[in-house]
Amino acid sequence: MSSPEETAYPRLQEDHSSLELDQLYTPTVKERTFVNEAYRRPAPRACLMLQLKLMQRLGYSMPLAAVPLAIIAHVCRKLKVPRPSKDALARYDGSAEFSRHRQQVLKVLALVDVDAQALRWASERAEAAASTKQELPD
């Protein structure tokens, strides 16, 4: 099995140049408007924006407590809000607010959650592809 480093899937790295942070994680005017209209308090705005930028970058949600500090600090600096502590992010990750924000992000990005039927379809396709792609012994 391939390690994550050997795949083409995007993943978060600990070290980012300022250029990478600017290109990948700087909120646009439209994104700022969305977040500012949704929440007044700084912590929910920061968490919602982080979820949005991570979903755009990775294609999936992840716990914000696992996000590198450089990304969190960059997004918060651009939003002009205080950076939440790791403890606050860990509490957020287990909260209903995380799920609400995730649904808002999916809606804004015009994405849908994967349901049981889609998982079944993907599993069938993966199994079919694996039988033709795997090197079989002579």
Side-chain angles (χ1 to χ4, degrees):
M1 177 178 242
S2 298
S3 69
E5 291 78 23
E6 296 171 335
T7 65
Y9 297 109
R11 60 191 179 280
L12 296 180
Q13 300 172 346
E14 288 296 323
D15 296 327
H16 290 281
S17 70
S18 55
L19 179 63
E20 287 176 317
L21 287 172
D22 282 338
Q23 289 176 340
L24 300 174
Y25 300 105
T26 298
T28 65
V29 173
K30 185 177 179 180
E31 292 166 347
R32 288 174 199 248
T33 302
F34 160 67
V35 168
N36 290 336
E37 288 177 356
Y39 294 95
R40 286 186 167 177
R41 293 179 303 135
R45 287 177 26 210
C47 291
L48 179 59
M49 183 61 77
L50 282 164
Q51 278 209 45
L52 176 64
K53 298 311 286 182
L54 291 169
M55 180 71 77
Q56 289 172 336
R57 173 73 177 128
L58 301 173
Y60 57 87
S61 295
M62 68 175 295
L64 296 187
V67 175
L69 185 59
I71 295 171
I72 295 169
H74 176 80
V75 169
C76 290
R77 189 172 46 255
K78 294 297 181 178
L79 282 178
K80 298 179 180 158
V81 299
R83 180 178 52 83
S85 68
K86 283 288 187 182
D87 289 338
L89 291 174
R91 284 191 305 275
Y92 168 80
D93 291 337
S95 71
E97 192 170 34
F98 179 90
S99 297
R100 276 194 309 277
H101 285 178
R102 185 175 180 281
Q103 292 305 315
Q104 287 176 289
V105 167
L106 290 173
K107 186 176 180 179
V108 164
L109 297 177
L111 300 173
V112 293
D113 264 330
V114 176
D115 61 4
Q117 182 180 357
L119 285 174
R120 195 169 34 259
W121 178 87
S123 177
E124 291 169 1
R125 295 306 166 287
E127 287 175 18
S131 67
T132 62
K133 302 293 182 197
Q134 183 180 8
E135 290 184 44
L136 301 174
D138 290 336

